[in-house]
Amino acid sequence: MSDFDIYADILLMATVTYLIRVIPLLFIKKPITNRFIKSFLYYAPYVTLSVMLFPGVLYATGNTFTAVCGAAFAFICSFMSDNYALASLGSIVAVFLAQLISR
Amino acid sequence: MRSDRKEFLRGFRDAFPVFVSYFAVSIALGITARNIGFSPVAAGFMSLVNLTSAGQAAGLRIMAEQGTRIEIVLSQVAINLRYMLMSAVLATRLTENTGTGKRMLMGFGITDEIFGLSAKNEALNPFYTVGCFCMATPGWVAGTVLGVVMGNLLPVKIVEALSMALYGMFISLVFSPAKKNYILFPVILFTMLSSYLLETFVPVVSFGMRVIFLTLGISALAAVIFPVKAEKEDGEGV
């Protein structure tokens, strides 16, 4: 591929993705009062995050055992604290430790 | 609402785990880009202006197979349409008089993770989101460039462990609020089960489409079965 083609493709992708992101922000301006829509929007982030989470988390580290150890740490952590940085960084450490005993 | 500057800094700090996980995840993307002949600059530029993991991976794959520009556009729409849903959620958290310029700036960085952080704010200042992606984007670009430069020389175990960062954050973002609002448990667990079944038995449905179908379907179902109380819904977004 020529440099021109590579950069043209990159900018094309970026334009499409940006439009997808910005259109709702530009056109939804009124506060929503409908109870169904409010409820829908309340649940939507949890559903979206749950889909991203599972089953993807099982393959995150290339080894189900170490991934489950990392996930278990974050899960327990989220019941003791709302600090997601702690859950996130702690789950990395949990995976490291699990790697030591599994291979 | 706090000042723009304070909100920017708060977002910047909050997104540190995203920086770490983006750095780790994008190394793999950089390795892919290297394999189809991208220079570190081109790959870094791609990550800077796109900021979308699955979208970039699909774009690279199409380029590697000499696909058409139409395929590139369609792949981005299919994979990234979920961002439209996320932006719609965030749009309702902005005050009505938020200016067009701020909306356009904020739109640049709506990703799964930045959406997750932004949606924690019942009233969202666009500069919070801007702060988030100003922290996260350098991680994404640096990891990509490192992937191109270092190729396969990085210790696999380290990359693998770092890849957990994203999921650790998702788990906390989902379950921390659920312990205060138990209705979320059946919603979360049903979603995970559905996602698993869909991926296992209907693999033709891409990741992006799975996110869209399940978000629309299950959120609507939950809204009918467990409508939120009039004052309650604003206080406890993800």
Side-chain angles (χ1 to χ4, degrees):
Chain A
M1 283 174 88
S2 73
D3 266 4
F4 177 81
D5 280 336
I6 286 179
Y7 283 96
D9 285 352
I10 289 172
L11 288 173
L12 180 67
M13 287 171 57
T15 307
V16 173
T17 302
Y18 180 68
L19 288 175
I20 290 171
R21 284 167 166 154
V22 83
I23 284 170
L25 290 170
L26 291 177
F27 291 98
I28 301 177
K29 290 194 173 171
K30 296 267 177 231
I32 289 169
T33 50
N34 179 292
R35 197 179 178 200
F36 172 78
I37 297 176
K38 275 189 133 170
S39 303
F40 177 91
L41 293 174
Y42 170 75
Y43 289 112
Y46 296 100
V47 175
T48 305
L49 287 170
S50 300
V51 177
M52 294 192 291
L53 183 57
F54 200 82
V57 63
L58 299 177
Y59 327 127
T61 64
N63 174 320
T64 313
F65 172 72
T66 62
V68 169
C69 290
F73 175 86
F75 184 73
I76 294 165
C77 184
S78 64
F79 283 86
M80 308 207 294
S81 155
D82 288 349
N83 186 338
Y84 50 84
L86 181 70
S88 175
L89 302 176
S91 68
I92 297 176
V93 177
V95 171
F96 266 124
L97 296 176
Q99 282 174 343
L100 293 179
I101 57 171
S102 75
R103 281 186 274 195
Chain B
M1 189 167 284
R2 276 167 276 190
S3 76
D4 293 345
R5 187 166 177 269
K6 268 192 176 161
E7 286 297 294
F8 174 88
L9 290 173
R10 193 167 66 85
F12 194 72
R13 274 197 309 271
D14 284 358
F16 181 68
V18 184
F19 171 89
V20 174
S21 52
Y22 275 14
F23 182 76
V25 171
S26 60
I27 290 172
L29 203 67
I31 293 172
T32 309
R34 169 202 176 95
N35 292 341
I36 66 168
F38 270 50
S39 69
V41 175
F45 180 69
M46 181 189 221
S47 284
L48 177 68
V49 296
N50 280 279
L51 199 66
T52 162
S53 57
Q56 284 176 232
L60 285 171
R61 194 161 143 185
I62 293 168
M63 288 183 217
E65 292 165 4
Q66 315 272 319
T68 61
R69 296 233 153 93
I70 292 171
E71 283 176 81
I72 289 178
V73 170
L74 290 179
S75 72
Q76 300 308 302
V77 172
I79 291 168
N80 290 338
L81 203 59
R82 67 185 190 281
Y83 295 145
M84 195 171 252
L85 215 56
M86 295 177 193
S87 283
V89 172
L90 295 183
T92 65
R93 307 282 178 90
L94 299 171
T95 53
E96 219 173 311
N97 59 8
T98 303
T100 303
K102 288 181 187 174
R103 289 171 189 261
M104 289 178 70
L105 179 63
M106 166 185 171
F108 179 78
I110 309 296
T111 67
D112 301 331
E113 298 73 25
I114 290 165
F115 164 72
L117 291 176
S118 299
K120 279 166 67 82
N121 298 277
E122 54 197 89
L124 179 65
N125 180 321
F127 284 102
Y128 178 82
T129 304
V130 176
C132 288
F133 71 69
C134 284
M135 167 59 82
T137 308
W140 187 244
V141 174
T144 311
V145 173
L146 189 72
V148 180
V149 176
M150 297 274 293
N152 300 314
L153 298 177
L154 290 166
V156 177
K157 283 192 178 186
I158 290 182
V159 177
E160 284 176 356
L162 288 174
S163 307
M164 195 65 206
L166 221 63
Y167 291 98
M169 190 180 88
F170 288 161
I171 289 169
S172 180
L173 286 176
V174 168
F175 286 104
S176 295
K179 69 180 180 244
K180 286 165 221 142
N181 184 3
Y182 294 124
I183 285 171
L184 290 172
F185 278 107
V187 176
I188 293 165
L189 296 178
F190 181 71
T191 304
M192 289 185 181
L193 179 69
S194 307
S195 175
Y196 174 74
L197 293 176
L198 207 56
E199 186 187 86
T200 308
F201 296 108
V202 198
V204 289
V205 179
S206 68
F207 168 72
M209 294 313 287
R210 185 151 43 101
V211 170
I212 294 168
F213 288 154
L214 293 181
T215 301
L216 293 176
I218 296 176
S219 304
L221 196 65
V224 171
I225 303 176
F226 313 116
V228 291
K229 293 189 194 84
E231 336 68 70
K232 198 174 179 194
E233 68 281 354
D234 285 336
E236 299 185 21
V238 166

